[in-house]
Amino acid sequence: MEVRFLQLGLGLLLLLAAKHDPSLAVPSSQCLAQCGGVEIPYPFGIGDNCSLSSGFNLSCQIHDGVYKALLSGMEVLNISLAQGTIRVLNPISTYCYNLSSGQMEDNHWLLETGGSPYRFSDIHNKFTVIGCNTIAYIYDNTGIGYQSGCVSTCKNLSDLVDGSCSGIGCCQTAIPRNMNYYNVYFNYAFNTSKVWRFSRCSYAVLMEAEAFNFSTKYISTTTFNDTRIGQAPVVMDWAIRNGTMTCEVAKHNMTGTYACLSTNSGCVDSANGLGYLCNCSKGYQGNPYLQGGCQDVDECRSSPCPSSGVCHNTEGGYRCSCRAGRKFNGKRTTCDLDTGLIIGLGIGLGVSSGMLLAFGSPFIIRKIKARKVKKMKEKYFSQNHGLLLQQLLTHKADIGERMIITLEELEKATNNFDKAHVIGGGGHGIVFKGILDLHVVAIKKSKIVVQREIDEFINEVAVLSQVNHRNVVKLLGCCLETEVPLLVYEFISNGTLYHHLHVEGPISLPWDDRMRIAMEVARALSYLHSATSMPIFHRDIKSSNILLDESLVAKVSDFGASRYIPFDNTGITTAVQGTIGYLDPEYYYSGRLTDKSDVFSFGVLLVELLTRKKPFGYQTDDGDGLVSHFVSLLKEGKLVGLIDPQIMEDEVAVVYEVAILAAMCTKLRREDRPTMREAEMRLENILVKKKQIPYTTAPREYNEHNTLVHCMSIERVNKEASRQYTMEDEIVLSANYPR
């Protein structure tokens, strides 16, 4: 194994101790403004006393016969002052089969930016893995945890599709926010010795997502970047840090190191909260980090006024006027003849006509505004798939009529969506609390205006409009008169199962409540799979999507990822959605969604209820995830050490019955899992036995340390819960971060 530190990595190790200078450096006229065609704006600089601090110091050197700007050895592509980003080239890590030695050889890279002004951008970058038999991770600086990871597999070149990077030959995944440590690691259990004839190497690199488009030729080449061999662009966020100084602190700092020096500039906290940036004020452009660096923009050069108007540049803005005898129309889009002048010349029309015009103008303006608002509502109604709701009205008027809610009603219910009414946010929007028709309701509003989010909102309307079950959150209506749809639900007052289960201290939800909640979730999923007019697969069952009312009754929520499946289909191929840790591995690899995908997630939920461990963050010293570790201990008869101690003393036999059901639901092959109806019936039998049939708990023994050891038939456990795990399965089940 060969680990290489980039020159940037070595340089940044030195920068870990670097602090901002006591007073700000002022670049001299001798400092280079560019190198190799790359602009070098202050606070960056080349040479002594040319940058704000050592962390922003670059070099300009000849590489391959041309001058290149380098950030501690890494080629700089461009720098953005406004966005607070710098693009550099990041070497690609490789893992290749050596034909001569018959061994796998890797060459991977490590960077650390902890004490420097830089962080890897989680918005612009994705961890990209290419290969036909590849698992690669980004390790954290402890060397035992993962910050991100990706699996890429294929059996032959015919499996590959140009432009597709969803796990077949190519995989991309997000990285956590504020990542300052980058160490690529290939899983050595996977190698290309069996596929070397068409895929000798695997590749992994953190790179700018927009700079990459997968091509099938990358599988059989020694690099996947045509223009810069062995490197790919990566975006790093930068900020004026000096610790984690914010704008408020920096402005009142008595050391004189406030970096926004231009008069017409302002300070903004960096997106990751670890420093601040400077921007020129509106109407100005230039460099806010220099005295006098922000200069007035002459907007008149771009002719912003109507063709018949005259533009006048002002400090920080501009104004438009009309030539003599003309004036702006109501929308200020043209300079029309001055009707006032015409009226003045034609005074013979009389005072009564003038009064009519004066009193009539406000009415006309109101009518124009009302018409404009109406057109906007019609536009949004069409954009938000309003025809879908109209069709629903035609076929099911009773549903459609009660679902149409006006924007005016919702604004009144939330005091114009006041922030004081915000009660939370899920994966698809912000949630407001409001009063509608004397009922407390929850109103979901999208965070981002993109078509995919809007489609998911409409999908949720379509799914929930036909659902009527006491354990499924009730959709009361929706509003399509805004840029993004608004959904109105019954208000569930008691938070999520996740927050009730994962509390600090040894005491959490009582076992009886956990069993009942599991039963209620099973009933809801069984209903969705088999009792609706068309089967509905939820796709994202997890404890944070189970709401609890004041009586701790479970309500399955968040149907933005759900799908209808026709009865004559055994499954459907979709883009994979869900949360790692709860996600069905077979669905993850194949993209084929079936009812058994929800069964797997339900099994993980049972494990979570039994152990009070979080599926997406759990990992043993051997790298096992929660589910694989749970099943292994169950097979060995040692599960007692993993089960929540709160529920073990009085409920041992029932706990193991539920544990066996959890193992059955989480079997790797979907054919081996029960249906949700079968899981529901099994839970019912366990509850009936617990309440009505007296029994003694399973035999107990104590070891030499007087520690409880549960005795259970190993043969029984092996028969019901045994399964084989490959390294691929462990990766999916032990991943640390949600998809």
Side-chain angles (χ1 to χ4, degrees):
M1 178 179 67
E2 183 179 1
V3 181
R4 295 189 179 182
F5 283 83
L6 296 176
Q7 292 181 19
L8 175 63
L10 293 174
L12 291 183
L13 289 175
L14 298 176
L15 293 179
L16 293 179
K19 304 295 182 183
H20 292 288
D21 298 332
S23 59
L24 295 174
V26 179
S28 70
S29 58
Q30 304 300 315
C31 295
L32 293 177
Q34 63 173 272
C35 175
V38 177
E39 299 291 332
I40 312 296
Y42 189 80
F44 293 85
I46 297 174
D48 295 337
N49 299 320
C50 289
S51 61
L52 176 65
S53 69
S54 56
F56 293 100
N57 195 30
L58 309 181
S59 61
C60 187
Q61 302 177 17
I62 295 179
H63 276 250
D64 301 325
V66 296
Y67 279 99
K68 293 183 179 180
L70 303 176
L71 173 60
S72 297
M74 296 184 75
E75 182 181 348
V76 177
L77 302 180
N78 67 276
I79 300 169
S80 171
L81 293 184
Q83 300 299 322
T85 59
I86 180 170
R87 295 174 70 243
V88 299
L89 287 182
N90 184 20
I92 299 167
S93 299
T94 61
Y95 186 48
C96 298
Y97 179 65
N98 188 316
L99 297 179
S100 300
S101 66
Q103 301 293 321
M104 297 299 298
E105 297 179 354
D106 73 334
N107 181 18
H108 61 97
W109 301 86
L110 182 152
L111 286 94
E112 184 166 7
T113 66
S116 75
Y118 308 99
R119 296 293 183 270
F120 297 100
S121 172
D122 62 305
I123 296 175
H124 298 287
N125 300 316
K126 285 191 176 180
F127 184 49
T128 303
V129 175
I130 288 181
C132 277
N133 211 356
T134 307
I135 298 178
Y137 324 92
I138 298 177
Y139 260 131
D140 64 18
N141 54 10
T142 67
I144 60 173
Y146 307 127
Q147 298 189 82
S148 191
C150 222
V151 179
S152 172
T153 61
C154 59
K155 295 180 180 178
N156 49 63
L157 292 178
S158 62
D159 295 338
L160 308 176
V161 178
D162 283 338
S164 174
C165 192
S166 58
I168 308 299
C170 176
C171 175
Q172 285 188 313
T173 189
I175 61 172
R177 190 173 178 228
N178 292 333
M179 195 179 86
N180 62 11
Y181 186 86
Y182 168 66
N183 184 7
V184 175
Y185 172 79
F186 290 95
N187 188 294
Y188 302 120
F190 274 62
N191 60 62
T192 57
S193 60
K194 295 182 180 180
V195 295
W196 67 268
R197 288 178 176 82
F198 63 90
S199 178
R200 187 170 67 86
C201 292
S202 298
Y203 313 96
V205 65
L206 180 63
M207 68 178 296
E208 183 181 21
E210 291 185 0
F212 176 71
N213 186 39
F214 176 67
S215 171
T216 55
K217 66 181 180 181
Y218 298 156
I219 292 294
S220 55
T221 186
T222 57
T223 181
F224 68 87
N225 191 303
D226 297 328
T227 58
R228 299 177 177 88
I229 302 302
Q231 299 181 92
V234 64
V235 180
M236 291 195 289
D237 297 325
W238 60 268
I240 311 299
R241 300 207 189 280
N242 199 10
T244 57
M245 186 174 287
T246 63
C247 287
E248 189 65 25
V249 174
K251 289 176 181 178
H252 298 91
N253 190 356
M254 302 304 293
T255 61
T257 58
Y258 181 54
C260 306
L261 297 182
S262 179
T263 303
N264 300 304
S265 68
C267 177
V268 292
D269 291 331
S270 66
N272 56 27
L274 299 178
Y276 66 93
L277 297 169
C278 304
N279 284 332
C280 289
S281 303
K282 185 178 180 180
Y284 295 85
Q285 63 184 7
N287 192 328
Y289 298 94
L290 297 173
Q291 290 282 3
C294 293
Q295 300 295 321
D296 176 56
V297 176
D298 186 357
E299 290 87 355
C300 292
R301 291 185 178 180
S302 60
S303 303
C305 297
S307 58
S308 55
V310 179
C311 181
H312 308 273
N313 187 56
T314 62
E315 189 68 21
Y318 70 96
R319 63 181 179 85
C320 298
S321 65
C322 293
R323 293 180 175 85
R326 291 180 175 271
K327 69 175 184 178
F328 285 117
N329 64 356
K331 297 182 179 179
R332 298 183 67 83
T333 55
T334 61
C335 287
D336 299 334
L337 288 174
D338 189 345
T339 54
L341 179 61
I342 296 175
I343 292 174
L345 295 174
I347 194 69
L349 291 175
V351 176
S352 60
S353 297
M355 292 179 64
L356 179 63
L357 181 64
F359 284 107
S361 294
F363 174 77
I364 295 172
I365 292 172
R366 284 197 301 271
K367 292 291 288 184
I368 292 174
K369 288 183 178 179
R371 186 176 300 173
K372 182 179 179 180
V373 170
K374 182 180 178 181
K375 286 184 176 181
M376 288 299 294
K377 289 182 177 180
E378 291 173 351
K379 172 189 172 183
Y380 291 142
F381 184 84
S382 175
Q383 176 181 301
N384 294 332
H385 306 285
L387 292 177
L388 177 67
L389 264 291
Q390 286 182 337
Q391 291 173 356
L392 186 61
L393 273 168
T394 302
H395 296 95
K396 295 183 178 181
D398 60 325
I399 294 177
E401 290 174 1
R402 65 178 171 80
M403 289 185 65
I404 302 299
I405 300 175
T406 66
L407 177 60
E408 183 180 359
E409 290 177 283
L410 297 188
E411 287 175 338
K412 184 178 179 181
T414 59
N415 192 22
N416 287 320
F417 297 102
D418 191 327
K419 290 183 179 179
H421 286 253
V422 174
I423 57 174
H428 302 83
I430 300 173
V431 181
F432 294 82
K433 182 179 178 181
I435 306 273
L436 188 66
D437 296 332
L438 301 180
H439 294 287
V440 181
V441 296
I443 302 165
K444 187 159 76 172
K445 183 178 184 181
S446 176
K447 294 178 182 177
I448 306 173
V449 184
V450 295
Q451 192 60 43
R452 181 181 62 80
E453 293 282 353
I454 293 175
D455 291 343
E456 288 178 353
F457 267 87
I458 296 304
N459 183 59
E460 191 161 358
V461 175
V463 169
L464 290 179
S465 65
Q466 66 156 325
V467 171
N468 183 20
H469 193 278
R470 73 184 299 267
N471 298 121
V472 176
V473 67
K474 188 175 182 61
L475 177 69
L476 302 177
C478 66
C479 173
L480 303 180
E481 297 177 352
T482 56
E483 190 170 6
V484 293
L486 304 174
L487 299 179
V488 183
Y489 305 91
E490 62 175 326
F491 178 70
I492 309 300
S493 61
N494 214 357
T496 68
L497 172 59
Y498 176 92
H499 290 107
H500 281 270
L501 189 62
H502 299 293
V503 295
E504 293 185 7
I507 304 302
S508 179
L509 281 172
W511 175 239
D512 285 347
D513 285 330
R514 298 189 206 184
M515 284 285 288
R516 178 184 47 76
I517 289 169
M519 185 71 253
E520 290 168 345
V521 173
R523 286 171 178 163
L525 291 176
S526 178
Y527 165 83
L528 293 172
H529 289 184
S530 56
T532 54
S533 59
M534 190 178 295
I536 300 169
F537 300 165
H538 189 282
R539 283 210 291 184
D540 199 16
I541 291 297
K542 55 185 177 181
S543 58
S544 58
N545 280 343
I546 309 300
L547 302 179
L548 301 177
D549 68 10
E550 63 278 0
S551 301
L552 295 182
V553 173
K555 305 273 188 177
V556 177
S557 70
D558 203 339
F559 283 76
S562 303
R563 288 296 301 268
Y564 287 118
I565 306 295
F567 275 111
D568 56 354
N569 278 9
T570 57
I572 187 170
T573 301
T574 72
V576 176
Q577 286 187 255
T579 302
I580 289 294
Y582 297 88
L583 191 62
D584 172 14
E586 197 161 356
Y587 169 45
Y588 180 88
Y589 284 114
S590 68
R592 189 164 184 78
L593 177 69
T594 71
D595 60 331
K596 299 297 182 70
S597 300
D598 281 349
V599 173
F600 185 92
S601 300
F602 177 73
V604 179
L605 183 67
L606 290 179
V607 173
E608 188 176 1
L609 289 169
L610 288 164
T611 64
R612 274 185 69 196
K613 309 292 186 187
K614 301 174 184 178
F616 55 83
Y618 184 89
Q619 187 178 43
T620 67
D621 293 339
D622 296 329
D624 290 339
L626 179 59
V627 172
S628 56
H629 186 50
F630 179 91
V631 173
S632 296
L633 293 179
L634 181 61
K635 289 170 58 179
E636 297 168 7
K638 301 177 181 179
L639 191 58
V640 67
L642 187 62
I643 296 295
D644 181 6
Q646 176 186 341
I647 66 175
M648 281 302 296
E649 284 301 316
D650 300 318
E651 305 290 352
V652 175
V654 175
V655 164
Y656 272 84
E657 290 288 339
V658 177
I660 291 171
L661 176 59
M664 293 171 65
C665 290
T666 54
K667 286 190 176 182
L668 291 180
R669 294 177 69 251
R670 60 169 65 102
E671 294 84 0
D672 296 334
R673 302 171 200 158
T675 64
M676 275 313 307
R677 177 58 181 153
E678 290 167 344
E680 176 193 4
M681 293 175 65
R682 190 174 180 102
L683 268 179
E684 280 183 352
N685 290 336
I686 295 172
L687 283 171
V688 168
K689 182 196 302 182
K690 178 177 183 297
K691 292 180 180 179
Q692 297 181 1
I693 302 177
Y695 63 90
T696 58
T697 58
R700 302 185 183 186
E701 293 180 357
Y702 289 82
N703 61 20
E704 65 271 24
H705 303 294
N706 205 32
T707 302
L708 177 64
V709 178
H710 181 74
C711 298
M712 183 177 179
S713 168
I714 301 299
E715 291 75 17
R716 178 185 175 198
V717 173
N718 284 336
K719 181 179 178 180
E720 298 218 39
S722 176
R723 55 179 172 166
Q724 299 297 318
Y725 279 82
T726 66
M727 187 61 67
E728 285 180 299
D729 307 322
E730 296 296 339
I731 290 306
V732 175
L733 296 175
S734 65
N736 285 349
Y737 286 91
R739 181 177 176 83

